[in-house]
Structures are given as C-alpha cells and as structure tokens.
Amino acid sequence: MSDPNAASRPVQAVILAGGQGSRLRPYTDDRPKPMVEIPGTGTPIIGHQLTWLAQEGVTDVVVSCGHLADVLQSWLDSADLPVRVTTVVETEPLGRGGGLRYAAKHLPHPDRPWYATNGDIWTRFSLRDMADFHAERDAVATLALARPRIPWGAVKTDGFGRVTDFIEAPPTTYEVNAGVYVFSAEFATLLPERGDHERTTFPRLARERRLAGFPIPQGAYWRAIDTAKDLTEAAKELATLGR
C-alpha cells in the first residue's frame, strides 16, 4: 500500500559541520567535531548521521565544512557512503544562518523541502514523522525538541522546606532546540547572508506563527556531543541500548 505522504517528505539534507569544537579538545585538535568517533562504534559522528538520514529516505546531503575541512572531505571521499554527498567550504565565517543559506544553494532540489542537522547531534527518531508533522501544520520551519537530562541531582522539598526526595539527573522541564530541522523550500530565502538564524529568522517566523516544534518521542535517543564527558556518556548509553 502506497504512503500518501511520501511525495511531500524531504529527500535532501544539510549537515552543518564547520564548528571548531573547542570544548571537545584534544579530540578536535586534528579533526573537526563531526569527525570525532563515539567510543566503541569505530565511526565518526557524521557517519552515524549519514546512515540515519539514508534510513529516513534521504538521498542527497550537503555537508557545510569549515574547521579542518580537508580532514572531513578526505574521510567522505574514502568512505562507503549510503547517500550522495556534496561538500561546501565557507571561505569566511558566515554564522549558523549564513552557513545554512550558503549550503542550501547547493541542494539538488531547491524547490523541495529539506532537513538540516548540526554536525554534533547523535540521535535516532523518525524524520518521516517529523516531516509529516511539519506538513500538517503548514510550517515554514520545524525544529525537533528534546528534554535533556540535567547533569546534577535534583532535590524535592515540601511546603515547609523539608527535603522529600532526591532525583538523579532528571530531564529538564523545558524543551530545548535539538539541532534537527525540517525546512520548506522558501526557508532558504529567509535566512541571513551572515549571522545566526536563531536570533533573526526563527523569532520572525515564531511571531508569524509559521514555526513549529516537534517533540522527539519519549524513549528516542538524543544527545549533543559537545564535551569529552558527552562522548563517554554516549558510549555508555549506546552500549546499554545495544546499538
């Protein structure tokens, strides 16, 4: 039985892989952040991302490079990739919004929607469901929302100030931008030539009620690999999950 929503889902994506990853040193002294391997997997972060995107129906990916771009390009050239990959290099820093706009110019289908993800995100959830959510709301942009665990133990108290419970590393009560997006074709034209879209384009779309937020399903794996501790925690979690 054919899927009536299949034709409207993106088959192209952008990965923002140009950051310096200074908080991941010394791992990023000789490689860009997306090239850092998650311990025990033998594959860099971007390798996991490309596999995930392919499983979700993506055929073409534009990788926006910057810091140590030659290392990333060399790996992409030698690896057996599940999608067609084009790399673009920012000759000068454009900011996240400018980088997205520049990369989007190289997508093979400029008149069709597209996914985007930050190069340090390690996750697994249904992008197809997110794309359907985006289309149902007639949004220009949809961002995935996560509830990461806070790194400290939480303390509950009663109305008299007495401690009633301890909760180790609970999920935050706030939803955060998970760094994974669905964009309609027109979104690229709304991005700044340089600068941060999260301070310009996103607030504008939110005011116009054209920005949607897709909660990552409960139980789905998500982690931003930002520090050495994140690498260690990801390795532990993935071992537990058997992935």
Side-chain angles (χ1 to χ4, degrees), residues 13 19-20 44 48 60 62 68 70-71 74 101 112 124 140-142 151 154 164 184 228 240:
Q20 293 196 10
H48 294 286
D60 293 88
V62 176
L68 296 174
D70 57 329
V71 177
S74 177
R101 184 178 182 123
R112 297 188 62 180
R124 282 290 189 278
V140 173
T142 298
T164 60
S184 298
T240 301

Side-chain angles (χ1 to χ4, degrees), residues 34-35 37 42-48 50 69-81:
M35 279 301 300
E37 291 185 7
T43 303
I45 298 168
I46 194 168
H48 294 286
L50 292 171
D70 57 329
V71 177
L72 178 51
Q73 289 175 315
S74 177
W75 182 82
L76 290 169
D77 288 342
S78 63
D80 182 15
L81 303 176

Side-chain angles (χ1 to χ4, degrees), residues 77-176:
D77 288 342
S78 63
D80 182 15
L81 303 176
V83 293
R84 289 184 292 270
V85 173
T86 302
T87 58
V88 297
V89 181
E90 296 178 28
T91 55
E92 56 180 331
L94 299 174
R96 288 186 296 176
L100 263 181
R101 184 178 182 123
Y102 179 63
K105 292 177 181 177
H106 296 81
L107 289 168
H109 310 289
D111 58 339
R112 297 188 62 180
W114 46 293
Y115 297 117
T117 181
N118 297 339
D120 59 355
I121 301 299
W122 174 209
T123 186
R124 282 290 189 278
F125 65 91
S126 174
L127 283 175
R128 291 181 174 90
D129 288 349
M130 185 175 173
D132 294 345
F133 180 96
H134 170 83
E136 288 162 4
R137 282 149 187 81
D138 197 25
V140 173
T142 298
L143 50 150
L145 304 175
R147 289 183 184 271
R149 292 187 174 276
I150 62 174
W152 309 284
V155 179
K156 279 191 174 182
T157 59
D158 63 16
F160 297 97
R162 290 186 290 257
V163 174
T164 60
D165 199 5
F166 291 90
I167 306 172
E168 186 63 30
T172 175
T173 55
Y174 294 99
E175 293 176 313
V176 304

